[in-house]
Amino acid sequence: MRTVYSNLIDGTWVPSVSGNVFENRNPADDADVIGVFQKSTAADAARAVDAARRAFAHWRLVPAPKRAELLFRAAQLLAERKEALARDMTREMGKVLDETRGDVQEAIDMTYFMAGEGRRQYGQTVPSELRDKFAMSIRQPVGVCAIITPWNFPMAIPSWKIIPALVCGNTVVFKPATLTPLSAINFVKILEEAGIPPGVVNLVTGGGGDVGNALLVSDAVRVVSFTGSTEVGRIVSEQAAPSFKKVHLEMGGKNVIMIMEDANLELAVEGCLWGGFGTSGQRCTAASRVVVHEKVYRQFLDQFVARAAALRVGDGLDPATQMGPSISRGQLDTVIKYVEIGRQEGARLACGGHALSSGAHARGFFHEPTIFADVAASMRIAQEEIFGPVVSVIPCRSYEQAVTIGNGVQYGLSASIYTQDVNRAFAAMRDMDTGIFYVNAPTIGAEVHLPFGGTKSTGNGHREAGTAALDVFSEWKSVYVDFSSKLQRAQIDTADL
Ligand code: NAD
């Protein structure tokens, strides 16, 4: 029996007015239907926006600590159901169970962290330049927020957006990725069960061009928080500009690990395996480039290739599996296309390079862990986001050259350095043009209480996570209270000494 899932609009689970649905299947086993979901239209999006607009009138006045109580409850429910949520996610999205447990854990952490902001959301109280005048700043909710998310972190990324939006007093219309609607529904059901009132969180499944676009052009939507590709992010930015929405974009990456001649090589190999092949390379922070000092290049490459070739690829629900499938046929085709591009560009295929399509892999979108060696920094495989298990290893002669190569891409999400030299570690921390930087760790591993995001074509200056996320989902209001009972003119009248 195929379960049919609905949209959540104004507290009621309803089908799309289009009457159309779509099927979602397990990327590790194409015969396994996860469920049937609403193929919504602009009309569904408009109804959800209207519900969110009406709910805002009430929700913005609920005291933030009270809003937070519901979020603490939601965090508890997420923690209690972590295992079942992770299993659903692995079936839906493919990454191995350890990683989907981590994805749910990130949502738990974010929900607890942001619920704590219910009693903070600090503003500033400052002395006025005039007598008998009080000056302070407060955070105010913005209104209806459109939340548009990708498939690679089906619960963590929605939580990074929805939870800070709610604690600040906004209402939400959530359009999840078409490839991971079940995890989105699981998350929203928990918010509903925790007591979030009708209309405060609305969920509409369906395509980006239909539902997503309708949200971008709606005058009632005041914030758009988008995570996805740079290509779609540009469209989002353009569509939302005429109505001056607040637009928060988290986009692509081409992250680098730099390995210096004094690095602990075993540690660096471990980091490159996790950074390059975790989530089958489908993380925005995946280490798809490794720049290695020529003095240790051979030694590193031999170890890295031996370890990558031994990774067990398969169904993420199998505890023996170390790397799952690509999310879809389309994504696998992209990987295959880039492997061919790498060959034609003259990079040396050091391991992998093939899709896996027989035996246990016959019904999924599997690909071997793939390493290209002797890659030139200008090659397309070292410049463009592949979003698959393909790592380019690039030799360098010095720290300075590693930094030049590392920064020589259009993206600026995450970078890391392996070195024992504290001076170099700090210099690299300063020199890398990225939003996230690691020392002696791979490019992945962000924690929810620090800002997350990137520079250049990765972002547009905002950050999610940490208290920085509050700046996306609130407006500052500066408040002056004059209790002098007379007109006092700032910058013109002076206070007596
Ligand atoms: P995508 O850009 O294809 O889709 C992202 C979302 O946008 C989906 O919900 C999609 O339906 C929607 N969308 C598509 N077209 C739209 C339109 N015209 N208007 C409005 N919405 C539209 O990305 P994806 O394939 O789901 O995810 C992979 C990408 O996400 C990679 O580029 C990855 O680097 C990026 N990503 C970035 C971060 C980050 O924090 N920087 C995190 C995770 C993923």
Side-chain angles (χ1 to χ4, degrees):
M1 240 258 308
R2 293 176 179 190
T3 310
V4 180
Y5 294 90
S6 302
N7 291 330
L8 179 65
I9 298 179
D10 211 5
T12 309
W13 291 92
V14 290
S16 162
V17 293
S18 72
N20 295 327
V21 290
F22 66 95
E23 246 180 27
N24 195 22
R25 288 169 186 257
N26 181 342
D29 176 1
D30 201 31
D32 178 20
V33 177
I34 307 292
V36 175
F37 300 88
Q38 301 303 310
K39 194 170 181 183
S40 310
T41 61
D44 300 299
R47 287 185 59 207
V49 170
D50 196 48
R53 189 185 51 74
R54 284 183 278 107
F56 180 62
H58 164 76
W59 182 246
R60 76 183 182 91
L61 299 178
V62 175
K66 286 283 156 204
R67 298 195 287 255
E69 280 174 19
L70 305 181
L71 300 180
F72 278 122
R73 174 83 189 115
Q76 252 169 359
L77 291 171
L78 286 166
E80 283 164 19
R81 309 209 183 133
K82 178 174 167 179
E83 188 61 21
L85 295 169
R87 285 185 173 274
D88 271 359
M89 196 188 292
T90 293
R91 235 184 106 206
E92 178 177 48
M93 185 270 161
K95 62 187 174 186
V96 298
L97 260 180
D98 260 357
E99 293 185 32
T100 52
R101 287 182 188 122
D103 193 306
V104 179
Q105 186 59 45
E106 207 162 313
I108 296 166
D109 294 344
M110 180 56 82
T111 307
Y112 275 125
F113 174 69
M114 278 297 161
E117 288 304 314
R119 287 190 183 271
R120 287 188 290 267
Q121 296 185 43
Y122 299 133
Q124 294 162 326
T125 307
V126 295
S128 166
E129 62 195 43
L130 292 164
R131 282 178 189 270
D132 299 332
K133 191 177 171 191
F134 192 90
M136 63 184 168
S137 62
I138 57 170
R139 287 189 187 275
Q140 296 256 275
V142 194
V144 178
C145 303
I147 306 295
I148 303 177
T149 56
W151 44 263
N152 63 340
F153 282 87
M155 202 166 286
I157 290 180
S159 79
W160 295 354
K161 300 175 184 303
I162 294 172
I163 304 299
L166 294 180
V167 83
C168 287
N170 305 282
T171 55
V172 161
V173 178
F174 173 25
K175 195 223 83 66
T178 349
L179 292 165
T180 50
L182 178 59
S183 294
I185 288 171
N186 285 345
F187 184 60
V188 166
K189 278 190 172 158
I190 281 179
L191 293 176
E192 194 186 23
E193 196 178 328
I196 301 292
V200 171
V201 174
N202 304 274
L203 168 103
V204 184
T205 57
D210 305 320
V211 181
N213 198 260
L215 298 175
L216 302 177
V217 299
S218 163
D219 282 339
V221 171
R222 297 314 309 146
V223 178
V224 178
S225 182
F226 165 88
T227 298
S229 60
T230 297
E231 194 187 5
V232 175
R234 188 167 286 116
I235 297 171
V236 170
S237 183
E238 286 167 1
Q239 297 280 17
S243 48
F244 303 115
K245 292 178 180 25
K246 206 168 179 183
V247 179
H248 159 232
L249 304 172
E250 295 292 343
M251 300 172 286
K254 192 72 187 175
N255 313 288
V256 67
I257 292 179
M258 302 179 292
I259 300 174
M260 296 295 97
E261 69 273 34
D262 62 345
N264 174 338
L265 279 193
E266 263 173 46
L267 187 66
V269 167
E270 290 285 347
C272 291
L273 284 169
W274 178 227
F277 301 114
T279 320
S280 312
Q282 302 172 116
R283 287 181 181 231
C284 50
T285 51
S288 51
R289 298 181 297 152
V290 180
V291 177
V292 192
H293 195 283
E294 59 187 5
K295 285 190 183 150
V296 292
Y297 183 80
R298 275 291 133 223
Q299 206 185 337
F300 165 79
L301 193 63
D302 289 349
Q303 288 182 35
F304 185 36
V305 166
R307 294 286 302 278
L311 287 174
R312 284 185 300 275
V313 180
D315 185 340
L317 288 172
D318 178 346
T321 296
Q322 292 169 297
M323 193 181 93
S326 291
I327 180 76
S328 64
R329 162 59 55 194
Q331 199 65 44
L332 178 62
D333 287 345
T334 302
V335 173
I336 293 168
K337 181 187 86 179
Y338 272 102
V339 169
E340 187 48 36
I341 289 170
R343 281 199 175 105
Q344 284 174 9
E345 286 180 309
R348 183 165 67 78
L349 190 60
C351 81
H354 305 99
L356 296 163
S357 54
S358 59
H361 300 118
R363 294 208 302 251
F365 309 124
F366 297 98
H367 196 279
E368 290 173 331
T370 297
I371 298 173
F372 278 109
D374 309 342
V375 174
S378 58
M379 289 180 182
R380 284 183 65 191
I381 53 168
Q383 289 288 325
E384 297 172 18
E385 186 181 50
I386 300 173
F387 231 52
V390 182
V391 177
S392 294
V393 183
I394 306 167
C396 76
R397 287 184 306 280
S398 63
Y399 162 77
E400 288 74 17
Q401 196 191 14
V403 169
T404 303
I405 294 170
N407 281 333
V409 291
Q410 65 160 316
Y411 301 107
L413 185 52
S414 183
S416 97
I417 190 166
Y418 281 83
T419 181
Q420 309 284 346
D421 179 342
V422 69
N423 294 353
R424 255 189 197 164
F426 271 83
M429 178 186 78
R430 178 196 61 202
D431 294 340
M432 294 311 294
D433 189 358
T434 55
I436 306 170
F437 183 71
Y438 294 88
V439 177
N440 292 329
T443 51
I444 61 185
E447 300 179 27
V448 302
H449 46 303
L450 281 184
F452 183 96
T455 62
K456 302 193 278 185
S457 297
T458 298
N460 65 338
H462 295 287
R463 291 289 183 272
E464 51 197 352
T467 49
L470 301 176
D471 291 333
V472 171
F473 295 104
S474 62
E475 290 273 15
W476 281 114
K477 183 178 281 177
S478 298
V479 181
Y480 302 94
V481 180
D482 191 318
F483 55 101
S484 69
S485 301
K486 62 182 182 200
L487 174 66
Q488 300 197 87
R489 298 172 303 172
Q491 292 90 40
I492 295 172
D493 298 331
T494 47
D496 298 334
L497 290 176

